[in-house]
Amino acid sequence: MGTASIFASVTTDLTPLLNSSSLIIGKSSPSNSISFKSSVSFSRKTLTPIRLSSAADNSPSVTVSSPSTEGISDRSKTSLKSRLRGGETLYGLFLLSFSPTLAEIAAHSGYDYVVVDMEHGPGGITEALECIRALNAADTPAVLRLPENCPTWAKKALDLGPQGIMFPMIESRKDATKAVSYCRFPPDGIRGSAHTVVRASKYGIDEGYLGNYADGILIMCQVESSEGVKKADEIAAVDGVDCVQMGPLDLSASMGYLWDPGHKKVREMMRKAEKSVLTSDPAKGGAYLSGFAMPHDGAAEIRGRGYHMVAGAVDVGLFRNAAVEDVRRFKMGLVDESDGEDSLEHGKDVDDEKYWSE
């Protein structure tokens, strides 16, 4: 998936999602809500998991579970794998800045998982570790996206102890099988072993690590090319592949539509890959489906099509949007203020509210 795909995903119109039960727009906040001056409020009770029905026809119908009085930290005591097996739809964020502070804010905001992006972000293993620590402290699972599908990066990433690992540009059963082997110790794979001292095993203090490490790691393979789509069913069926992550922008680029990811042919290819994964049964060796929200295909839309993991934004994109809007409001305020001064000169009333950005 190219760099542009990360930034494109954050321009998604999340209005359908924001108007759901998770957020209340322009209404008074209940007593247990956190409110902002922009009249956007959300209740901690509405940050409950979304569960997919287990209809026999694989229909992507969605039902919302009953509100829970438990806190966000209580929900995160189970692993990503366990929550997916329980039928939850998970909502995540991509962390491109490698800022532990932004990672911590994301965790406290209620995201179900955060992907620390070593493929397109500027950081490496050392920087990723600090972000994982921030996320762990706030009880939010971290997923590490690798720069490439190779044993060295996988080994170093897994030793940090993330709950998930994402391999880019998987195009065949062979690629997926190799990715899984990088996550398994011999004789099941080729992962290098330093389990007696690495962070993943609590530096050797967790004596049961070797017995349960495999079940605690969510292995995600990205399908982001025409070749990958053709083999999506085979990739999803590889033993050990837990989730297939769609990469819409790289897919569009591979088809000759880099600047038009919403092209009809790209959308048809996406649907083909989605169907290949959704018709597999994770309980019988299949995989879950994960993806990015896009401007032409929002978070609510892909959730409605049956995606099990939805990444709706990127940290730098959220900050960029907020910063651009903040500057726009200020400069528009100056224009309005100037207009107001002219109005005063002519004895007209001035709307002071126009100046302020809130």
Side-chain angles (χ1 to χ4, degrees):
M1 176 177 174
T3 303
S5 63
I6 289 296
F7 291 99
S9 68
V10 302
T11 62
T12 305
D13 179 8
L14 296 179
T15 302
L17 186 63
L18 294 177
N19 287 333
S20 69
S21 61
S22 296
L23 291 175
I24 305 172
I25 309 299
K27 295 182 180 180
S28 59
S29 305
S31 60
N32 63 338
S33 298
I34 300 175
S35 301
F36 302 93
K37 286 185 178 181
S38 58
S39 298
V40 179
S41 63
F42 64 89
S43 169
R44 288 179 65 89
K45 292 180 67 176
T46 62
L47 293 174
T48 51
I50 298 171
R51 297 184 178 277
L52 292 178
S53 64
S54 56
D57 61 353
N58 291 319
S59 172
S61 58
V62 179
T63 57
V64 180
S65 61
S66 301
S68 171
T69 57
E70 297 180 353
I72 294 173
S73 61
D74 293 325
R75 292 194 291 107
S76 62
K77 289 180 180 178
T78 55
S79 68
L80 291 174
K81 269 190 178 182
S82 296
R83 296 179 66 184
L84 287 170
R85 289 168 180 166
E88 297 184 31
T89 298
L90 308 180
Y91 188 59
L93 173 85
F94 268 65
L95 190 80
L96 205 67
S97 68
F98 279 77
S99 165
T101 298
L102 293 185
E104 193 172 28
I105 292 172
H108 287 308
S109 296
Y111 286 103
D112 296 306
Y113 65 96
V114 171
V115 179
V116 182
D117 191 358
M118 293 194 294
E119 182 182 12
H120 292 293
I125 291 296
T126 301
E127 294 80 9
L129 173 59
E130 297 309 310
C131 293
I132 292 176
R133 283 176 171 155
L135 292 168
N136 288 169
D139 295 319
T140 297
V143 175
L144 293 187
R145 178 156 78 160
L146 304 184
E148 60 179 316
N149 181 16
C150 77
T152 302
W153 276 110
K155 173 175 56 181
K156 293 178 74 67
L158 289 168
D159 283 349
L160 298 184
Q163 275 203 26
I165 184 167
M166 187 183 297
F167 292 91
M169 201 57 72
I170 300 299
E171 297 186 314
S172 65
R173 177 191 294 272
K174 182 178 180 180
D175 288 346
T177 300
K178 284 183 177 181
V180 173
S181 74
Y182 303 155
C183 302
R184 301 283 188 261
F185 292 118
D188 302 315
I190 62 171
R191 177 183 172 186
S193 177
H195 61 276
T196 57
V197 292
V198 296
R199 184 178 185 275
S201 66
K202 295 181 174 60
Y203 306 99
I205 295 174
D206 180 5
E207 297 180 354
Y209 177 70
L210 288 182
N212 57 33
Y213 80 94
D215 196 52
I217 300 172
L218 186 75
I219 300 177
M220 307 176 71
C221 289
Q222 280 197 261
V223 169
E224 44 189 344
S225 69
S226 299
E227 286 302 310
V229 170
K230 294 176 184 177
K231 302 294 179 62
D233 56 341
E234 296 180 12
I235 293 170
V238 169
D239 183 30
V241 173
D242 300 302
C243 190
V244 172
Q245 168 86 24
M246 295 303 302
L249 267 187
D250 271 333
L251 174 60
S252 66
S254 74
M255 297 176 64
Y257 300 103
L258 175 61
W259 299 109
D260 189 11
H263 193 279
K264 179 181 178 181
K265 291 184 179 180
V266 179
R267 296 168 78 101
E268 289 174 351
M269 190 70 80
M270 283 284 291
R271 299 298 184 274
K272 179 180 179 181
E274 292 169 0
K275 182 178 180 181
S276 295
V277 179
L278 289 172
T279 53
S280 70
D281 185 353
K284 298 179 180 179
Y288 297 99
L289 181 63
S290 180
F292 301 98
M294 296 288 289
H296 63 276
D297 199 14
E301 285 73 24
I302 65 176
R303 181 187 71 184
R305 291 204 304 275
Y307 277 67
H308 305 97
M309 297 178 73
V310 177
V314 182
D315 63 334
V316 294
L318 288 175
F319 179 76
R320 177 202 64 204
N321 292 347
V324 169
E325 177 63 11
D326 182 54
V327 172
R328 185 194 69 80
R329 288 186 178 186
F330 179 75
K331 292 187 175 182
M332 287 300 294
L334 290 178
V335 172
D336 291 340
E337 183 185 51
S338 176
D339 292 342
E341 290 174 351
D342 292 340
S343 298
L344 281 175
E345 292 176 359
H346 293 84
K348 296 181 179 180
D349 293 333
V350 179
D351 183 4
D352 292 333
E353 294 297 323
K354 288 183 179 180
Y355 176 84
W356 302 105
S357 63
E358 294 293 332

